[in-house]
């Protein structure tokens, strides 16, 4: 049982603005958006808390999360202007929810290096 906030969103126990769903991936808008487009893409089935917990067997899922984010960015018109995919891992990476997720940010120039 995935008892994180995102597990509850997958099970529809708490509401979210869901913008994408297939058998493997759920995409929903971040509650505290950092850009005009800020969507989180999460795996629906494998309970993977962090990127550090991923193994070779998770490679297709990780690839799918990124490709899903890219396809969504393209469908929203951000392919040419650009966007950023971020995956925070553990404390110093800034991770706060321990259900692996890819942030998709777009719609404004994104600075580098990050804070
Ligand atoms: P992290 O810091 O773990 O990389 O990202 C977690 C993200 O989840 C944050 O950007 C935060 O704003 C978002 N978040 C936290 N609680 C909720 C919630 O209840 N609903 C939604 N849609 N996003 C949330």
């Amino acid at each position: 049982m995935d008892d994180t906030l995102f597990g509850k969103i997958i099970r529809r126990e708490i509401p979210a603005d869901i913008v994408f769903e297939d058998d493997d991936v759920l995409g929903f808008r971040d509650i505290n958006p950092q850009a005009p487009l800020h969507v989180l893409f999460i795996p629906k089935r494998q309970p993977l808390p962090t990127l550090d917990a991923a193994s070779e067997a998770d490679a297709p899922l990780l690839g799918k999360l990124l490709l899903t984010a890219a396809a969504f960015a393209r469908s929203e018109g951000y392919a040419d202007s650009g966007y950023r995919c971020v995956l925070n891992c553990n404390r110093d990476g800034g991770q706060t929810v321990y259900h692996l997720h890819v942030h998709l940010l777009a719609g404004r120039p994104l600075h580098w290096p990050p804070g």
Side-chain angles (χ1 to χ4, degrees):
M1 176 68 132
D2 174 1
D3 235 354
T4 68
L5 200 55
F6 293 173
K8 291 181 170 62
I9 288 175
I10 291 170
R11 295 192 299 274
R12 302 329 197 242
E13 291 168 10
I14 60 171
D17 185 357
I18 293 170
V19 294
F20 176 88
E21 181 163 28
D22 69 9
D23 285 348
D24 304 311
V25 176
L26 188 72
F28 52 93
R29 292 187 197 281
D30 197 294
I31 204 167
N32 182 23
Q34 301 301 311
L37 180 74
H38 188 171
V39 173
L40 304 172
F41 292 92
I42 66 173
K44 283 169 65 177
R45 291 187 289 213
Q46 287 98 319
L48 209 47
T50 68
L51 182 59
D52 183 64
S55 67
E56 198 67 33
D58 299 308
L61 175 67
L62 293 171
K64 179 153 188 190
L65 285 171
L66 286 174
L67 290 172
T68 302
F72 189 80
R74 193 177 313 118
S75 75
E76 293 290 301
Y78 293 110
D80 290 338
S81 55
Y83 54 88
R84 185 173 294 168
C85 291
V86 175
L87 208 164
N88 297 325
C89 182
N90 281 332
R91 183 196 61 215
D92 283 359
Q95 186 170 7
T96 57
V97 179
Y98 283 78
H99 179 126
L100 185 143
H101 49 281
V102 170
H103 296 254
L104 169 64
L105 299 143
R108 67 171 176 84
L110 297 161
H111 303 293
W112 194 263

